[in-house]
mmCIF file of all heavy atoms in Angstrom:
data_model
loop_
_atom_site.group_PDB
_atom_site.id
_atom_site.type_symbol
_atom_site.label_atom_id
_atom_site.label_comp_id
_atom_site.label_asym_id
_atom_site.label_seq_id
_atom_site.Cartn_x
_atom_site.Cartn_y
_atom_site.Cartn_z
ATOM 1 N N PRO A 1 0.787 -1.231 0.031
ATOM 2 C CA PRO A 1 -0.017 0.007 -0.081
ATOM 3 C C PRO A 1 0.895 1.321 0.049
ATOM 4 O O PRO A 1 0.482 2.273 -0.586
ATOM 5 C CB PRO A 1 -0.752 -0.145 1.317
ATOM 6 C CG PRO A 1 -0.821 -1.523 1.669
ATOM 7 C CD PRO A 1 0.517 -2.096 1.117
ATOM 8 N N VAL A 2 2.063 1.210 0.655
ATOM 9 C CA VAL A 2 2.830 2.358 0.716
ATOM 10 C C VAL A 2 3.365 2.795 -0.690
ATOM 11 O O VAL A 2 3.670 4.008 -0.917
ATOM 12 C CB VAL A 2 3.975 2.130 1.685
ATOM 13 C CG1 VAL A 2 4.959 1.193 1.108
ATOM 14 C CG2 VAL A 2 4.713 3.492 2.029
ATOM 15 N N ALA A 3 3.398 1.923 -1.634
ATOM 16 C CA ALA A 3 3.950 2.265 -2.936
ATOM 17 C C ALA A 3 2.970 3.046 -3.723
ATOM 18 O O ALA A 3 3.281 3.911 -4.575
ATOM 19 C CB ALA A 3 4.276 0.890 -3.742
ATOM 20 N N THR A 4 1.699 2.837 -3.571
ATOM 21 C CA THR A 4 0.654 3.664 -4.196
ATOM 22 C C THR A 4 0.405 4.884 -3.528
ATOM 23 O O THR A 4 -0.038 5.955 -4.220
ATOM 24 C CB THR A 4 -0.643 2.818 -4.199
ATOM 25 O OG1 THR A 4 -1.084 2.484 -2.861
ATOM 26 C CG2 THR A 4 -0.513 1.441 -5.003
ATOM 27 N N ASN A 5 0.734 5.066 -2.246
ATOM 28 C CA ASN A 5 0.484 6.260 -1.555
ATOM 29 C C ASN A 5 1.721 7.205 -1.673
ATOM 30 O O ASN A 5 1.516 8.415 -1.395
ATOM 31 C CB ASN A 5 0.204 6.059 -0.082
ATOM 32 C CG ASN A 5 -1.108 5.169 0.113
ATOM 33 O OD1 ASN A 5 -2.021 5.305 -0.710
ATOM 34 N ND2 ASN A 5 -1.157 4.399 1.179
ATOM 35 N N PHE A 6 2.782 6.774 -2.002
ATOM 36 C CA PHE A 6 4.059 7.665 -2.034
ATOM 37 C C PHE A 6 4.485 7.624 -3.525
ATOM 38 O O PHE A 6 5.074 6.665 -4.035
ATOM 39 C CB PHE A 6 5.173 7.128 -1.123
ATOM 40 C CG PHE A 6 6.043 8.058 -0.775
ATOM 41 C CD1 PHE A 6 5.848 9.089 0.052
ATOM 42 C CD2 PHE A 6 7.481 7.879 -1.178
ATOM 43 C CE1 PHE A 6 6.823 10.104 0.349
ATOM 44 C CE2 PHE A 6 8.444 8.820 -0.806
ATOM 45 C CZ PHE A 6 8.107 9.916 -0.105
ATOM 46 N N PRO A 7 4.381 8.733 -4.335
ATOM 47 C CA PRO A 7 4.695 8.655 -5.747
ATOM 48 C C PRO A 7 6.116 8.497 -5.981
ATOM 49 O O PRO A 7 6.567 7.889 -7.108
ATOM 50 C CB PRO A 7 4.162 10.075 -6.238
ATOM 51 C CG PRO A 7 3.143 10.493 -5.266
ATOM 52 C CD PRO A 7 3.574 9.928 -3.856
ATOM 53 N N ILE A 8 6.964 9.082 -5.172
ATOM 54 C CA ILE A 8 8.474 9.000 -5.381
ATOM 55 C C ILE A 8 8.914 7.601 -5.358
ATOM 56 O O ILE A 8 9.774 7.054 -6.204
ATOM 57 C CB ILE A 8 9.169 9.777 -4.316
ATOM 58 C CG1 ILE A 8 8.766 11.310 -4.493
ATOM 59 C CG2 ILE A 8 10.720 9.683 -4.536
ATOM 60 C CD1 ILE A 8 9.515 12.260 -3.478
ATOM 61 N N LEU A 9 8.364 6.767 -4.486
ATOM 62 C CA LEU A 9 8.696 5.347 -4.335
ATOM 63 C C LEU A 9 8.177 4.615 -5.603
ATOM 64 O O LEU A 9 8.949 3.655 -6.143
ATOM 65 C CB LEU A 9 8.101 4.798 -3.066
ATOM 66 C CG LEU A 9 8.384 3.200 -2.866
ATOM 67 C CD1 LEU A 9 9.760 2.892 -2.730
ATOM 68 C CD2 LEU A 9 7.571 2.802 -1.528
ATOM 69 N N SER A 10 6.943 4.874 -6.021
ATOM 70 C CA SER A 10 6.435 4.175 -7.222
ATOM 71 C C SER A 10 7.337 4.504 -8.491
ATOM 72 O O SER A 10 7.601 3.624 -9.312
ATOM 73 C CB SER A 10 4.964 4.561 -7.477
ATOM 74 O OG SER A 10 4.920 5.955 -7.642
ATOM 75 N N MET A 11 7.689 5.752 -8.512
ATOM 76 C CA MET A 11 8.594 6.233 -9.658
ATOM 77 C C MET A 11 9.996 5.480 -9.580
ATOM 78 O O MET A 11 10.484 4.918 -10.676
ATOM 79 C CB MET A 11 8.737 7.711 -9.735
ATOM 80 C CG MET A 11 7.446 8.432 -10.107
ATOM 81 S SD MET A 11 7.712 10.201 -10.062
ATOM 82 C CE MET A 11 9.022 10.487 -11.165
ATOM 83 N N GLY A 12 10.528 5.337 -8.401
ATOM 84 C CA GLY A 12 11.769 4.644 -8.246
ATOM 85 C C GLY A 12 11.669 3.228 -8.614
ATOM 86 O O GLY A 12 12.598 2.630 -9.229
ATOM 87 N N LEU A 13 10.606 2.553 -8.298
ATOM 88 C CA LEU A 13 10.418 1.196 -8.504
ATOM 89 C C LEU A 13 10.198 0.910 -9.980
ATOM 90 O O LEU A 13 10.741 -0.056 -10.576
ATOM 91 C CB LEU A 13 9.157 0.672 -7.769
ATOM 92 C CG LEU A 13 9.296 0.457 -6.272
ATOM 93 C CD1 LEU A 13 7.981 0.225 -5.641
ATOM 94 C CD2 LEU A 13 10.361 -0.590 -5.847
ATOM 95 N N ARG A 14 9.484 1.828 -10.736
ATOM 96 C CA ARG A 14 9.333 1.753 -12.109
ATOM 97 C C ARG A 14 10.636 1.902 -12.935
ATOM 98 O O ARG A 14 10.882 1.226 -13.801
ATOM 99 C CB ARG A 14 8.290 2.770 -12.610
ATOM 100 C CG ARG A 14 7.833 2.645 -14.018
ATOM 101 C CD ARG A 14 6.904 3.697 -14.495
ATOM 102 N NE ARG A 14 5.687 3.703 -13.753
ATOM 103 C CZ ARG A 14 5.439 4.660 -12.829
ATOM 104 N NH1 ARG A 14 6.117 5.683 -12.667
ATOM 105 N NH2 ARG A 14 4.305 4.544 -12.123
ATOM 106 N N GLU A 15 11.410 2.788 -12.368
ATOM 107 C CA GLU A 15 12.832 3.067 -13.036
ATOM 108 C C GLU A 15 13.611 1.789 -12.811
ATOM 109 O O GLU A 15 14.415 1.377 -13.771
ATOM 110 C CB GLU A 15 13.353 4.289 -12.483
ATOM 111 C CG GLU A 15 14.746 4.621 -13.133
ATOM 112 C CD GLU A 15 15.365 5.873 -12.519
ATOM 113 O OE1 GLU A 15 14.666 6.549 -11.652
ATOM 114 O OE2 GLU A 15 16.533 6.214 -12.883
ATOM 115 N N TYR A 16 13.643 1.259 -11.654
ATOM 116 C CA TYR A 16 14.337 0.036 -11.361
ATOM 117 C C TYR A 16 13.970 -1.063 -12.264
ATOM 118 O O TYR A 16 14.832 -1.897 -12.770
ATOM 119 C CB TYR A 16 14.271 -0.403 -9.894
ATOM 120 C CG TYR A 16 15.310 -1.092 -9.270
ATOM 121 C CD1 TYR A 16 15.589 -1.158 -7.951
ATOM 122 C CD2 TYR A 16 16.190 -1.938 -10.021
ATOM 123 C CE1 TYR A 16 16.485 -1.851 -7.249
ATOM 124 C CE2 TYR A 16 17.166 -2.684 -9.468
ATOM 125 C CZ TYR A 16 17.329 -2.647 -8.076
ATOM 126 O OH TYR A 16 18.364 -3.391 -7.593
ATOM 127 N N CYS A 17 12.695 -1.225 -12.449
ATOM 128 C CA CYS A 17 12.149 -2.419 -13.263
ATOM 129 C C CYS A 17 12.598 -2.149 -14.844
ATOM 130 O O CYS A 17 12.985 -3.105 -15.509
ATOM 131 C CB CYS A 17 10.658 -2.457 -13.271
ATOM 132 S SG CYS A 17 10.031 -2.990 -11.612
ATOM 133 N N LEU A 18 12.591 -0.902 -15.291
ATOM 134 C CA LEU A 18 13.043 -0.564 -16.617
ATOM 135 C C LEU A 18 14.566 -0.844 -16.797
ATOM 136 O O LEU A 18 14.905 -1.392 -17.856
ATOM 137 C CB LEU A 18 12.772 0.900 -16.976
ATOM 138 C CG LEU A 18 11.317 1.193 -17.170
ATOM 139 C CD1 LEU A 18 11.119 2.709 -17.401
ATOM 140 C CD2 LEU A 18 10.691 0.464 -18.345
ATOM 141 N N GLN A 19 15.294 -0.578 -15.731
ATOM 142 C CA GLN A 19 16.729 -0.883 -15.808
ATOM 143 C C GLN A 19 16.999 -2.410 -15.873
ATOM 144 O O GLN A 19 17.839 -2.797 -16.698
ATOM 145 C CB GLN A 19 17.454 -0.373 -14.561
ATOM 146 C CG GLN A 19 19.036 -0.828 -14.483
ATOM 147 C CD GLN A 19 19.689 -0.235 -13.297
ATOM 148 O OE1 GLN A 19 19.512 0.997 -12.929
ATOM 149 N NE2 GLN A 19 20.415 -1.104 -12.595
ATOM 150 N N LEU A 20 16.260 -3.189 -15.193
ATOM 151 C CA LEU A 20 16.420 -4.678 -15.238
ATOM 152 C C LEU A 20 15.959 -5.173 -16.627
ATOM 153 O O LEU A 20 16.474 -6.229 -17.002
ATOM 154 C CB LEU A 20 15.606 -5.279 -14.064
ATOM 155 C CG LEU A 20 16.132 -5.041 -12.743
ATOM 156 C CD1 LEU A 20 15.225 -5.655 -11.686
ATOM 157 C CD2 LEU A 20 17.518 -5.652 -12.480
ATOM 158 N N GLN A 21 15.008 -4.590 -17.269
ATOM 159 C CA GLN A 21 14.520 -4.992 -18.534
ATOM 160 C C GLN A 21 15.575 -4.756 -19.576
ATOM 161 O O GLN A 21 15.706 -5.542 -20.522
ATOM 162 C CB GLN A 21 13.254 -4.385 -18.888
ATOM 163 C CG GLN A 21 11.968 -4.797 -18.137
ATOM 164 C CD GLN A 21 10.766 -4.126 -18.453
ATOM 165 O OE1 GLN A 21 10.713 -3.264 -19.392
ATOM 166 N NE2 GLN A 21 9.708 -4.307 -17.769
ATOM 167 N N HIS A 22 16.370 -3.524 -19.456
ATOM 168 C CA HIS A 22 17.303 -3.291 -20.418
ATOM 169 C C HIS A 22 18.664 -3.873 -20.245
ATOM 170 O O HIS A 22 19.367 -4.133 -21.152
ATOM 171 C CB HIS A 22 17.406 -1.736 -20.573
ATOM 172 C CG HIS A 22 16.197 -1.018 -21.146
ATOM 173 N ND1 HIS A 22 15.056 -0.607 -20.411
ATOM 174 C CD2 HIS A 22 15.916 -0.769 -22.517
ATOM 175 C CE1 HIS A 22 14.218 -0.059 -21.173
ATOM 176 N NE2 HIS A 22 14.621 -0.138 -22.511
ATOM 177 N N LEU A 23 19.010 -3.965 -19.005
ATOM 178 C CA LEU A 23 20.384 -4.509 -18.642
ATOM 179 C C LEU A 23 20.209 -5.951 -18.147
ATOM 180 O O LEU A 23 20.271 -6.334 -16.996
ATOM 181 C CB LEU A 23 20.926 -3.720 -17.502
ATOM 182 C CG LEU A 23 21.178 -2.179 -17.785
ATOM 183 C CD1 LEU A 23 21.789 -1.504 -16.667
ATOM 184 C CD2 LEU A 23 21.970 -1.946 -19.049
ATOM 185 N N ARG A 24 20.142 -6.751 -19.126
ATOM 186 C CA ARG A 24 19.940 -8.284 -18.806
ATOM 187 C C ARG A 24 21.295 -8.872 -18.579
ATOM 188 O O ARG A 24 22.247 -8.579 -19.330
ATOM 189 C CB ARG A 24 19.257 -9.024 -20.006
ATOM 190 C CG ARG A 24 17.723 -8.550 -20.124
ATOM 191 C CD ARG A 24 17.091 -9.470 -21.155
ATOM 192 N NE ARG A 24 15.631 -9.053 -21.248
ATOM 193 C CZ ARG A 24 14.730 -9.654 -20.391
ATOM 194 N NH1 ARG A 24 15.078 -10.438 -19.444
ATOM 195 N NH2 ARG A 24 13.455 -9.268 -20.550
ATOM 196 N N LEU A 25 21.439 -9.631 -17.604
ATOM 197 C CA LEU A 25 22.731 -10.269 -17.246
ATOM 198 C C LEU A 25 23.010 -11.444 -18.079
ATOM 199 O O LEU A 25 22.177 -12.443 -18.147
ATOM 200 C CB LEU A 25 22.728 -10.631 -15.734
ATOM 201 C CG LEU A 25 24.155 -11.093 -15.211
ATOM 202 C CD1 LEU A 25 25.081 -9.868 -15.248
ATOM 203 C CD2 LEU A 25 23.981 -11.625 -13.830
ATOM 204 N N LEU A 26 24.138 -11.443 -18.874
ATOM 205 C CA LEU A 26 24.549 -12.470 -19.737
ATOM 206 C C LEU A 26 25.962 -12.667 -19.613
ATOM 207 O O LEU A 26 26.777 -11.736 -19.551
ATOM 208 C CB LEU A 26 24.157 -12.162 -21.203
ATOM 209 C CG LEU A 26 22.710 -12.077 -21.577
ATOM 210 C CD1 LEU A 26 22.613 -11.618 -23.056
ATOM 211 C CD2 LEU A 26 22.053 -13.416 -21.387
ATOM 212 N N PHE A 27 26.372 -13.967 -19.525
ATOM 213 C CA PHE A 27 27.803 -14.416 -19.543
ATOM 214 C C PHE A 27 28.079 -14.901 -20.942
ATOM 215 O O PHE A 27 27.585 -16.013 -21.310
ATOM 216 C CB PHE A 27 28.104 -15.439 -18.509
ATOM 217 C CG PHE A 27 27.981 -14.829 -17.089
ATOM 218 C CD1 PHE A 27 26.826 -14.900 -16.314
ATOM 219 C CD2 PHE A 27 29.105 -14.335 -16.492
ATOM 220 C CE1 PHE A 27 26.687 -14.519 -15.075
ATOM 221 C CE2 PHE A 27 28.992 -13.871 -15.154
ATOM 222 C CZ PHE A 27 27.796 -13.913 -14.462
ATOM 223 N N THR A 28 28.889 -14.216 -21.694
ATOM 224 C CA THR A 28 29.116 -14.586 -23.100
ATOM 225 C C THR A 28 30.599 -14.601 -23.426
ATOM 226 O O THR A 28 31.389 -14.116 -22.627
ATOM 227 C CB THR A 28 28.410 -13.661 -23.985
ATOM 228 O OG1 THR A 28 29.126 -12.196 -23.951
ATOM 229 C CG2 THR A 28 27.001 -13.438 -23.750
ATOM 230 N N CYS A 29 30.926 -15.185 -24.478
ATOM 231 C CA CYS A 29 32.347 -15.225 -24.991
ATOM 232 C C CYS A 29 32.421 -14.214 -26.172
ATOM 233 O O CYS A 29 32.387 -14.556 -27.273
ATOM 234 C CB CYS A 29 32.837 -16.527 -25.487
ATOM 235 S SG CYS A 29 33.322 -17.595 -24.192
ATOM 236 N N GLY A 30 32.485 -12.930 -25.820
ATOM 237 C CA GLY A 30 32.615 -11.922 -26.819
ATOM 238 C C GLY A 30 31.298 -11.745 -27.680
ATOM 239 O O GLY A 30 31.448 -11.289 -28.815
ATOM 240 N N GLY A 31 30.144 -12.257 -27.279
ATOM 241 C CA GLY A 31 29.020 -12.304 -28.119
ATOM 242 C C GLY A 31 28.918 -13.453 -29.084
ATOM 243 O O GLY A 31 27.865 -13.595 -29.766
#
């Protein structure tokens, strides 16, 4: 409930989720 009542927290959570969607963790050999 606190996430819906506090806009700064909801914006921070949304930004965190977007970062995880774009920065996917991969272990590769040079691609």
Side-chain angles (χ1 to χ4, degrees):
V2 69
T4 57
N5 299 329
F6 200 66
I8 299 178
L9 178 60
S10 61
M11 290 176 59
L13 291 171
R14 190 180 301 111
E15 184 180 354
Y16 204 157
C17 292
L18 289 175
Q19 174 180 314
L20 291 173
Q21 289 177 3
H22 289 89
L23 302 182
R24 294 187 176 275
L25 190 66
L26 294 174
F27 292 91
T28 66
C29 276

